[in-house]
Amino acid sequence: MQDIPINGLSGLAYLPGHFGREAQEDLLERIRAIVAEAPLFQPVMPKTGKPFSVRMSNCGPLGWVSDINGYRYQPTHPETGKPWPEIPAVLQNLWSELASEAPEPEACLINFYDTGAKMGLHQDRDEQTFEAPVISVSLGDTATFRVGGVNRKDPTQSFRLQSGDVVVLGGKARLAFHGIDRVLKGTSTLLKNGGRINLTLRRVTPFD
Ligand code: MD3
Ligand code: FE
């Protein structure tokens, strides 16, 4: 495990290649089954209604959604109205290993990036608690991601996230600004048609 201090922020751990090819294929199969139940939707920005370039779905008791009214977590899919599918055991186990002090994750956001999709610099702050880390798993094409500090204007550093990489955002890094600048076409054979999937496991409600 590598601990990368960025702008003096502790708590960012990078686990390159945590999942090998076979584990990535198994995980991808789980995600495909989830997306068959809970189809990818295209969120829009609150107020402006501008569509995200990333398509999303979720699994777990709560899912993150964004529409004209705002960002929020909700127990059902915005289009089907059905509860989100369960978080696969392999991801529950990952959380137990890497966030052993935190209670179980409540949301797993599934981001799908076509080549050309990106995600602007933002903080993850729609959760009711920031005590638990956010855990990220990347699958498919390599992305360049950017992490700064807790203030939007803090300097940023860019890293590449490859298929199978895991990042744990705990401590002060939990509220760091971050984003995805671009997805590098043809860098992985995991997804037949290219693109990238990122999974983020989150605790939403406060601990007991
Ligand atoms: C969290 N996703 O869904 S995950 C998001 O690759 C999101 O799809 C990105 O940001 C993606 O909210 C990035 C990796 C990541 C990196 C830095 C972080 C998550 C972070 C810093 C603080 C909190
Ligand atoms: Fe984020």
Side-chain angles (χ1 to χ4, degrees):
M1 163 131 39
Q2 300 178 38
D3 202 65
I4 309 172
I6 291 165
N7 298 327
L9 301 177
S10 56
L12 188 153
Y14 174 46
L15 293 80
H18 182 81
F19 290 105
R21 177 69 186 214
E22 226 175 293
Q24 293 171 38
E25 286 170 3
D26 289 349
L27 185 50
L28 180 61
E29 210 171 298
R30 303 279 163 215
I31 300 306
R32 287 202 195 290
I34 289 164
V35 169
E37 276 295 303
L40 293 171
F41 59 94
Q42 185 162 34
V44 300
M45 289 296 290
K47 299 190 186 120
T48 64
K50 184 178 187 286
F52 284 54
S53 59
V54 180
R55 288 182 296 153
M56 297 180 177
S57 187
N58 290 272
C59 53
L62 293 171
W64 187 87
V65 301
S66 178
D67 62 20
I68 200 85
N69 299 311
Y71 305 134
R72 65 190 171 276
Y73 283 92
Q74 63 180 48
T76 55
H77 190 286
E79 290 166 3
T80 68
K82 293 201 293 184
W84 302 105
E86 283 180 15
I87 297 175
V90 60
L91 296 176
Q92 304 262 16
N93 294 341
L94 181 73
W95 181 273
S96 310
E97 288 165 28
L98 300 178
S100 48
E101 66 298 340
E104 66 274 18
E106 294 171 299
C108 176
L109 175 62
I110 300 166
N111 291 330
F112 179 75
Y113 296 78
D114 275 316
T115 308
K118 51 190 165 39
M119 188 178 285
L121 208 64
H122 68 277
Q123 289 172 299
D124 290 11
R125 52 181 314 151
D126 300 320
E127 302 73 27
Q128 296 164 32
T129 176
F130 306 128
E131 277 184 59
V134 171
I135 297 182
S136 153
V137 181
S138 293
L139 294 172
D141 285 335
T142 301
T144 57
F145 91 112
R146 186 170 289 285
V147 188
V150 296
N151 297 301
R152 182 175 284 280
K153 290 185 174 169
D154 290 337
T156 61
Q157 271 183 261
S158 170
F159 296 90
R160 284 184 176 199
L161 289 177
Q162 289 187 288
S163 196
D165 290 357
V166 170
V167 187
V168 184
L169 298 312
K172 290 180 182 161
R174 175 66 183 73
L175 286 171
F177 276 86
H178 59 280
I180 295 290
D181 290 342
R182 62 193 224 98
V183 174
L184 306 173
K185 198 180 172 78
T187 47
S188 167
T189 56
L190 189 70
L191 305 182
K192 287 184 299 292
N193 299 318
R196 170 174 186 266
I197 294 169
N198 183 264
L199 311 171
T200 44
L201 291 160
R202 298 131 186 268
R203 179 76 194 183
V204 179
T205 66
F207 306 2
D208 303 319

